[in-house]
């Protein structure tokens, strides 16, 4: 076991030890059991419709904002059929309190129509999912994760920030094309509970590893985090 965990893999332009991945997953899972944020789309009775729609609403919008708006949205649009049978204009009007309604409404409507045409079935592969209207890499991964139970990363700027601080930075500006972040995030979420580890990273990013002022002293990952050790060193050098 020891030998296996000491194996190192080339991930993009870096080498990562399997042990680092295992420690990251383990510490984060423990932390999340106590600190998970609760949202209605994470309830045990949430369906894949709830999960995918929540991801569409969460794009460029804080989870707390979507949470407030959620009961109204689900009350009106309880499934893909209702969305597909509502005019884009009406969806746009209902989405107004959430913002970005002109961008969101056509995407949500087009996807709902497509899903209903396919009798609720989503394509199986990422390649085919990306052909769905209005679906980019992030939503395609959400579909793989929540509809097909495939370990796919919900890789956005928040997940990227946590992973880069802990494991080291990427090379490319665009997350979607960076081979290191793409492979690393996939490796991290490939465990026995891919949903949990995805949510745990996003929750750590929102509550502890914040964009401007990470609360490293309260972080379960600090003993192995590159950013934490680097910033400690630079503080000591300045003294
Ligand atoms: S120790 Fe700090 S920088 Fe590292 S993951 Fe935790 S909060 Fe983020």
């Amino acid at each position: 076991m020891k030998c296996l965990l000491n194996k190192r893999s080339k991930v993009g332009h870096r080498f990562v030890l399997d042990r680092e991945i295992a420690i990251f997953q383990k510490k984060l899972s423990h932390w999340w059991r106590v600190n998970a944020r609760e949202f209605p789309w994470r309830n045990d009775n949430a369906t894949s419709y709830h999960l995918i729609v929540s991801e569409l609403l969460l794009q460029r919008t804080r989870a707390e904002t979507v949470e407030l708006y959620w009961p109204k949205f689900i009350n009106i649009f309880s499934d893909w059929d209702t969305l597909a049978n509502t005019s884009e204009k009406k969806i746009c009007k209902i989405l107004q309190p959430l913002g970005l309604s002109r961008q969101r409404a056509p995407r949500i409507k087009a996807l709902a129509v497509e899903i209903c045409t396919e009798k609720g079935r989503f394509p199986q592969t990422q390649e085919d999912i990306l052909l769905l209207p209005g679906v980019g890499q992030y939503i395609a991964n959400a579909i793989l994760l929540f509809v097909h139970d495939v370990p796919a990363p919900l890789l956005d700027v928040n997940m990227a920030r946590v992973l880069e601080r802990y494991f080291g930075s990427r090379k490319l500006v665009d997350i979607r094309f960076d081979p290191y972040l793409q492979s690393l995030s996939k490796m991290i979420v490939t465990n026995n509970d891919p949903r949990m580890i995805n949510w745990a990273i996003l929750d750590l990013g929102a509550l502890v590893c914040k964009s401007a002022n990470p609360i490293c002293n309260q972080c379960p990952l600090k003993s192995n985090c590159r950013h934490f050790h680097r910033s400690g060193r630079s503080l000591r050098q300045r003294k």
Side-chain angles (χ1 to χ4, degrees), residues 126 130 135-142 153 155 174-177 182:
Q126 191 190 50
L130 282 167
V135 170
Q137 189 187 78
Y138 182 92
I139 295 296
N141 281 353
L155 179 60
D174 194 327
I175 293 166
R176 293 170 303 170
F177 304 114
Q182 288 291 324

Side-chain angles (χ1 to χ4, degrees), residues 162 165-166 204 208-209 214-216 219 221-222 225 227-228:
V162 176
R165 282 176 175 168
Y166 186 90
L204 188 88
V208 181
C209 194
I215 315 170
C216 297
C219 181
L221 305 175
K222 68 175 183 245
C225 174
H227 178 88
F228 178 71

